Amino acid sequence: MLLFIEQLFNGLQLGITLFLMSAGLTLVFGIMQVINLAHGSFYMIGAYVGATVTARTGSFILGILAALPAAALAGMLVEMLVMRRLYRKDHLDQVLATFGLIMFFNELMRVLWGRQPLFMDVPPWLAGSVELIAGIPYPAYRIAVIVVGMLVGATLYLLFTRTRIGMQIRAGASNREMAGALGVNIRVLYTLVFGLGTLLAGLAGVMAGPILAVEAGMGESILILTFVVIVIGGIGSIRGALVGALLVGLVDTLGRAFLPVLLRLFLSAAYADGIAASLASMSIYILMAAVLVCRPRGLLPAHA
């Protein structure tokens, strides 16, 4: 039971990280109708900039404050130079162009930082553990990741439901031509939305830095999970991204932790571990297939 509760928190932490990634990506796709395979590259940029500034200054907070604008500015620059030329193109052109951006950013990171991975230390003030439940200490840093994700989710909710810019974003997602006719500067709006999406990806990257190695290509693996989250939650839906991210995080973490134990009840340890590893890797895709069979547009689509 103690192990189950600990893995439950690990799944929640992974889900929150995936939410930070998927919220930005589903925002971009839902409003701009553009497939951005390079979204993981901005996750990588946030991690690299955050790790570098943290190492130079010794301050994790300064690392975060540097990573967020770096990812956002990189995103807005990409939107102005590349993405604007893709809005009227079909999805195949968008996939090919953004795949090229992945190659470009991976090589750029190797040129600027070298091929050796960077490592971030957990800040000293978050290095301990907290007993959320008696007898179950849990790393304070992972709790901080969960709290940050919840604050981001609440902020996005207020942004889209209580502010003028949120109203303009929702209008642009529903009918960009009508929003433009009513005086909304669609070009500026798209740049800001893309920058917000990449800022969230950069935040996910810098928060994952003390947990994972910071290296070129680190964005590709989480990008696959991010697309699974968006499909499960519903394309264009922030609420769906949150629900889908938590489901994927919990299913992936609990599957990897407990499938070997379960299968050892029926099989030898060697066979059980091998089969469990395969099934755990497949679990989120099985979940996605099951959701799509029942709800082809996802659990909480933006436009029901």
Side-chain angles (χ1 to χ4, degrees), residues 45-273:
I45 290 172
Y48 265 103
V49 173
T52 302
V53 173
T54 299
R56 296 288 179 85
T57 64
S59 171
F60 183 67
I61 297 297
L62 289 179
I64 294 177
L65 294 178
L68 298 188
L73 290 174
M76 289 189 286
L77 186 62
V78 165
E79 193 277 336
M80 290 185 287
L81 295 179
V82 179
M83 305 307 291
R84 285 183 183 178
R85 293 164 173 78
L86 299 175
Y87 294 143
R88 302 295 180 182
K89 303 290 185 179
D90 60 31
H91 290 326
L92 178 59
D93 292 331
Q94 296 168 2
V95 167
L96 292 175
T98 53
F99 182 76
L101 286 174
I102 293 176
M103 301 294 102
F104 169 78
F105 280 116
N106 284 346
E107 291 304 318
L108 181 62
M109 295 302 105
R110 293 187 181 102
V111 169
L112 295 178
W113 278 278
R115 295 182 177 274
Q116 296 299 318
L118 304 181
F119 297 95
M120 292 178 65
D121 293 326
V122 174
W125 42 280
L126 289 175
S129 298
V130 177
E131 282 197 11
L132 296 178
I133 301 175
I136 306 178
Y138 194 72
Y141 182 77
R142 290 181 180 266
I143 295 174
V145 172
I146 295 172
V147 171
V148 168
M150 291 179 175
L151 291 176
V152 169
T155 302
L156 289 176
Y157 172 79
L158 294 175
L159 173 68
F160 288 112
T161 60
R162 297 290 187 269
T163 66
R164 183 176 181 82
I165 185 66
M167 178 184 67
Q168 293 176 347
I169 291 173
R170 287 185 284 115
S174 300
N175 192 320
R176 69 184 73 178
E177 288 79 12
M178 182 60 72
L182 292 174
V184 177
N185 191 324
I186 296 297
R187 290 169 67 92
V188 173
L189 180 67
Y190 277 13
T191 302
L192 292 177
V193 168
F194 201 88
L196 175 60
T198 57
L199 180 145
L200 293 175
L203 176 60
V206 71
M207 295 300 291
I211 300 174
L212 307 172
V214 178
E215 57 187 345
M218 63 182 294
E220 278 78 279
S221 58
I222 196 170
L223 181 67
I224 296 172
L225 294 177
T226 302
F227 275 112
V228 172
V229 165
I230 292 173
V231 171
I232 290 174
I235 294 174
S237 171
I238 299 295
R239 291 182 306 153
L242 177 59
V243 173
L246 293 177
L247 281 175
V248 169
L250 290 172
V251 168
D252 184 72
T253 302
L254 295 179
R256 294 180 188 279
F258 293 107
L259 273 177
V261 178
L262 181 62
L263 291 180
R264 284 178 186 176
L265 299 176
F266 311 99
L267 302 170
S268 65
Y271 282 112
D273 291 346

